Amino acid sequence: MAQHRAVLHTSPATPLSLQVHSLPTPTPGPGSTIVKILATPVLGYAKEVFSGERAYSMPLPLTQGTSAIGRVTAVGPDATTLQPGALVLCDIFLAARDSPSSHFLMGLHAGSPSTKRLMDGEWRHSTWAEYAKFPLENLYLLDEEVLLRRQGYSVRDLCTLTTALVGFGGLDEIGLRVGETVVIAPNTLRSLNDTFGATNPLSTVTMTGTLEGDTAALRAACATTKNGFSAYLDLPPPPLLPPNLGANLEIPCGLVVHKQLRFVGKWMYTREQVERCVRMAEMGAFGLGERAGVRTVAGFGLEEAERAVETAAVEAKGWGRQIVVEPWGAGATSR
């Protein structure tokens, strides 16, 4: 049986203990595809996950990872569009096929009890490996001619798609339109401010922690808009991943009714939203990599996984810098 290299996380530990092992190379079946992983970003809080500080639900041992950029190497008998050699975005946000509202993050978070059995078995190993198996519906075809050659992006640049998708999913869900103003939670804007400062169309407001002060600051920031702001986006910090959301929120029902406000909760995004985001990137509607203010600080091979995690804990906190794992080496794009 063919073998490939993969990083195995065997137990929460400090210092970290991430070792490369030889595992059987997965083969495709109905509804699945095998992908050669080219690059995958390292979460800034990955060290807290590996050490057990963040008690994410996951079966051990496993190959962890995040969404990635890769090339299809083999497809199952029911694939109609994806073919070997295709450049793809590999999304680890998986849904149970017989329960589409039940999700988990392959190799990172088992989600609810109903999806834990999926990560215990068929979808246990993620992208810190030379090859990974994905459901057909979690791969998104990327226009290589447009993105790599015409627009001049690198595979590392394409990795920033995985970050942009989280915010895009929430904003698209509420139907935000061109010309509208959105207030983004302070936890998010702090890192954006480090990268962009007070530039149009982004302006930042320093929160004081007091209702009166923060209200006045937000009103002043929106003074040039006709109707104030249209939406408020709050991206909770990683410890609040479902199903472990934190404190409850008090809702002033009378104000909600009279102002015709609505609340939308969104974990990640839908397939349709990913497809739309990819098409927008291909059209040049927004930049990737350094054109979006994100610099790749370093890339690491599988044998350097521990260094990658340690470096990300320092260098990849918030927007503006990313660390990537490249199982086949820097700049790998070959078919």
Side-chain angles (χ1 to χ4, degrees), residues 176 179-184 189 201-207 213-233:
L176 191 72
E180 293 183 329
T181 301
V182 58
V183 173
I184 305 176
L189 267 182
L202 173 70
S203 62
T204 59
V205 177
T206 301
M207 296 286 95
D214 291 348
T215 300
L218 289 172
R219 282 178 172 167
C222 297
T224 58
T225 63
K226 183 177 180 180
N227 297 311
F229 62 87
S230 308
Y232 171 84
L233 175 67

Side-chain angles (χ1 to χ4, degrees), residues 12-45:
T14 303
L16 301 177
S17 179
L18 303 174
Q19 302 296 323
V20 176
H21 291 255
S22 290
L23 298 178
T25 302
T27 56
S32 67
T33 302
I34 308 305
V35 179
K36 177 181 180 179
I37 303 300
L38 300 179
T40 178
V42 183
L43 298 170
Y45 57 89

Side-chain angles (χ1 to χ4, degrees), residues 113-133:
S114 64
T115 53
K116 183 177 182 298
R117 63 187 296 266
L118 297 177
M119 196 158 135
D120 281 346
E122 187 72 10
W123 307 109
R124 188 183 196 90
H125 296 299
S126 194
T127 56
W128 283 21
E130 291 179 324
Y131 297 95
K133 182 168 71 172

Side-chain angles (χ1 to χ4, degrees), residues 146-158:
V146 169
L147 292 171
L148 296 187
R149 287 184 272 279
R150 295 185 197 171
Q151 297 191 32
Y153 288 125
S154 67
V155 170
R156 290 178 172 184
D157 293 331
L158 300 185

Side-chain angles (χ1 to χ4, degrees), residues 67 92 170 191 202 238 296:
S67 294
I92 66 166
S191 57
L202 173 70
T296 300

